[in-house]
């Protein structure tokens, strides 16, 4: 047996030790410029790569990480991901992934009802989930047009393009939510996409519009997990009347990338419409992907480790952090808040335009991001990190304006 395919316990322990070390940021220019002819050996390569990969990476669980929709991941997902990498199961083939297929079905079975959906499958992100859902819409409902708001994620226009569907953008209100009064015209051959948590501002489209078109897809990539919180579930009321829903589990479900759900109200019908058989396939290949890994395993591990309560506690903590930060911004004349934060995204700017760059450049990396709305640049904070320290943020900001 080639030992490279067996666990080297010391090597793995060393990798773990490196993960906990504080490296200075190192550039990558001393990596080989061409494929090395001879190998360094696996243990040696850890010491070469550790500082280079771990030293310069953003740490998403740090108190000042408050910029993007990428969360820190709980350690139990690292352990499950290690098992996944080692087993390398492929859900395309039941024979090599008997457990993984059952686990995915189980997790989907737990989560789909929160969205009023019946089932679905996992994808590597909501970009693919949105494409998959709109593909099903085209096959099942014969739609020839995709209608979404001007704030919809770029993956919606991309999916329409790939699927050969017309794309129509509906105007939005100041907060970034779809202006439903503009959702006019014949929708009998349209897939309407409503966004629950727009990428720029976290706005939630009027979901009571779900069910009025030939197909309704809710892109809940960001805010979907609020459905598990009794406190916030109502913000997404109406989602249960959608035909399909996308949720990125690598956002507010704290999963390592790439992990997302595409859910359907009528799974059998949707899956049948997007399935292909093949000579070497024991079961039909459902959806966009061919080979795909057991991304449900770390999700199952975390959901069992934390329970719904543990997950919701962390999501609600993120929501409170955003509310606290929005409160700070709105109560100080040095700042302007775009709108109330519907789903943990706070969009704001210094009142004096010349302070914008000062704040942006003065804050630590991954503390704040930028979004441009109608040609105007705003600062954007996203509460994906339950460890974020709002006091630290506001003190740093206050010193810069
Ligand atoms: C992040 C996001 C997407 C894309 O999801 P990925 O998981 O990054 O592929 C789509 N829609 C919205 C609203 C998002 O926030």
């Amino acid at each position: 047996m080639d030992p490279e395919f067996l666990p080297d316990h010391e090597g793995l322990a060393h990798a773990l030790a490196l993960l906990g070390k504080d490296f200075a940021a190192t550039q990558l220019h001393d990596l080989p410029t061409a494929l090395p002819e001879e190998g360094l050996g696996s243990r040696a390569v850890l010491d070469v790569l550790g500082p280079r990969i771990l030293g310069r990476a953003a740490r998403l669980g740090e108190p000042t990480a408050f910029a993007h929709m990428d969360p820190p991941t709980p350690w139990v997902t690292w352990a499950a991901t290690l098992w996944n990498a080692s087993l390398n199961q492929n859900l395309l083939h039941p024979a090599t992934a008997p457990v993984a297929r059952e686990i995915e079905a189980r997790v989907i079975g737990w989560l789909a009802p929160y969205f009023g959906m019946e089932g679905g499958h996992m994808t590597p992100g909501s970009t693919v989930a949105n494409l998959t859902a709109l593909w099903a819409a085209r096959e099942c409902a014969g739609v020839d047009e995709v209608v979404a708001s001007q704030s919809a994620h770029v993956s919606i226009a991309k999916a329409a393009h790939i699927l050969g569907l017309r794309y129509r953008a509906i105007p939005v209100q100041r907060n970034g939510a779809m202006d439903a009064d503009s959702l006019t015209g014949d929708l009998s051959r349209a897939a309407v996409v409503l966004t629950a948590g727009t990428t720029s501002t976290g706005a939630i489209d009027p979901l009571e519009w779900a069910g009025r078109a030939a197909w309704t897809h809710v892109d809940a990539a960001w805010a979907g997990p609020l459905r598990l919180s009794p406190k916030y579930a109502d913000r997404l009321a109406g989602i249960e009347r959608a035909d399909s829903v996308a949720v990125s589990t690598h956002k507010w479900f704290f999963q390592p990338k790439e992990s997302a759900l595409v859910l359907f109200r009528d799974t059998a019908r949707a899956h049948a419409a997007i399935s292909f058989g093949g000579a070497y396939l024991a079961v039909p290949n459902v959806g966009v992907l061919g080979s795909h890994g057991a991304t449900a395993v770390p999700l199952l591990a975390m959901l069992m480790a934390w329970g719904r309560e543990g997950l919701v506690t962390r999501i609600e903590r993120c929501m409170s952090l955003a509310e606290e930060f929005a409160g700070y911004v709105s109560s100080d004349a040095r700042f302007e808040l775009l709108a109330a934060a519907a789903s943990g995204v706070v969009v704001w700017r210094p009142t004096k335009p010349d302070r914008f760059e000062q704040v942006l450049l003065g804050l630590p990396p991954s503390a704040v991001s930028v979004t441009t709305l109608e040609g105007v640049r705003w600062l954007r904070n996203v509460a994906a990190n339950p460890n974020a320290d709002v006091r630290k943020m506001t003190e740093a900001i206050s010193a810069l304006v």
Side-chain angles (χ1 to χ4, degrees):
M1 183 65 142
D2 180 341
E4 286 293 311
F5 295 99
L6 294 170
D8 173 344
H9 293 279
E10 257 180 64
L12 289 167
H14 186 51
L16 200 55
L18 292 174
L19 194 56
K21 262 180 108 164
D22 228 350
F23 294 109
T26 314
Q27 298 301 316
L28 298 179
H29 49 62
D30 56 351
L31 291 184
T33 52
L35 175 67
E37 199 59 35
E38 283 177 13
L40 297 174
S42 298
R43 285 204 192 171
V45 90
L46 293 179
D47 288 316
V48 173
L49 292 183
R52 286 164 182 78
I53 290 177
L54 302 170
R56 210 146 54 94
R59 299 297 173 116
L60 300 170
E62 284 196 346
T64 54
F66 203 40
H68 292 285
M69 290 177 168
D70 305 290
T73 53
W75 72 264
V76 74
T77 66
W78 312 347
T81 302
L82 180 68
W83 290 353
N84 269 353
S86 144
L87 297 168
N88 205 22
Q89 298 184 65
N90 186 351
L91 275 75
L92 192 55
H93 302 301
T96 62
V99 190
R101 284 175 66 97
E102 273 180 47
I103 285 186
E104 181 169 309
R106 183 65 59 101
V107 171
I108 296 271
W110 289 349
L111 297 177
Y114 286 97
F115 303 91
M117 298 292 115
E118 183 187 75
H121 63 271
M122 294 196 74
T123 69
S126 286
T127 297
V128 177
N130 287 335
L131 172 63
T132 309
L134 291 171
W135 180 19
R138 193 187 69 180
E139 302 305 312
C140 295
V143 304
D144 54 19
E145 184 186 32
V146 174
V147 179
S149 91
Q150 282 168 350
S151 311
H153 189 264
V154 62
S155 57
I156 304 299
K158 207 192 281 184
H161 182 82
I162 293 170
L163 294 165
L165 303 171
R166 277 181 289 126
Y167 184 73
R168 181 154 65 99
I170 302 292
V172 293
Q173 299 165 346
R174 177 178 161 88
N175 67 358
M178 178 187 278
D179 175 22
D181 291 343
S182 307
L183 193 54
T184 52
D186 180 13
L187 299 175
S188 66
R189 290 181 65 85
V192 167
V193 177
L194 301 168
T195 307
T198 59
T199 318
S200 265
T201 65
I204 298 171
D205 283 348
L207 299 185
E208 64 270 16
W209 272 83
R212 299 195 198 176
W215 187 279
T216 307
H217 173 62
V218 176
D219 178 0
W222 166 249
L226 292 178
R227 285 299 287 176
L228 278 71
S229 153
K231 186 170 173 196
Y232 293 108
D234 272 358
R235 294 201 179 180
L236 274 65
I239 195 170
E240 67 283 356
R241 286 194 299 278
D243 297 286
S244 55
V245 172
V247 182
S248 285
T249 29
H250 57 213
K251 289 178 175 170
W252 244 346
F253 272 102
F254 305 100
Q255 290 302 295
K257 291 175 189 64
E258 290 128 355
S259 180
L261 312 168
V262 59
L263 304 172
F264 296 103
R265 193 139 54 94
D266 184 343
T267 319
R269 181 158 174 253
H271 276 183
I274 57 170
S275 290
F276 280 74
Y280 64 95
L281 291 172
V283 291
N285 175 202
V286 179
V288 174
L289 300 183
S291 295
H292 57 291
T295 38
V297 172
L299 181 55
L300 177 105
M302 185 203 72
L303 291 172
M304 286 187 66
W306 289 0
R308 187 197 55 81
E309 274 184 13
L311 172 63
V312 163
T313 301
R314 287 160 178 105
I315 295 172
E316 290 182 354
R317 194 186 302 153
C318 289
M319 286 292 278
S320 319
L321 294 171
E323 282 154 16
E324 189 188 337
F325 185 70
Y328 163 77
V329 168
S330 62
S331 63
D332 190 322
R334 291 177 298 170
F335 309 111
E336 182 187 355
L337 178 70
L338 177 81
S343 67
V345 181
V346 184
V347 178
W348 61 285
R349 61 182 178 183
T351 322
K352 291 187 180 154
D354 61 316
R355 303 295 154 87
F356 190 95
E357 291 302 322
Q358 224 159 298
V359 173
L360 182 60
L361 301 175
L363 289 176
S366 70
V368 70
S369 50
V370 174
T371 188
T372 304
L373 303 168
E374 295 183 342
V376 178
R377 293 205 310 159
W378 292 80
L379 295 165
R380 167 180 174 266
N381 288 97
V382 184
N385 171 18
N387 297 326
D389 185 335
V390 168
R391 262 263 301 284
K392 248 189 184 145
M393 283 287 298
T394 55
E395 280 168 13
I397 293 165
S398 199
L400 293 165
V401 289

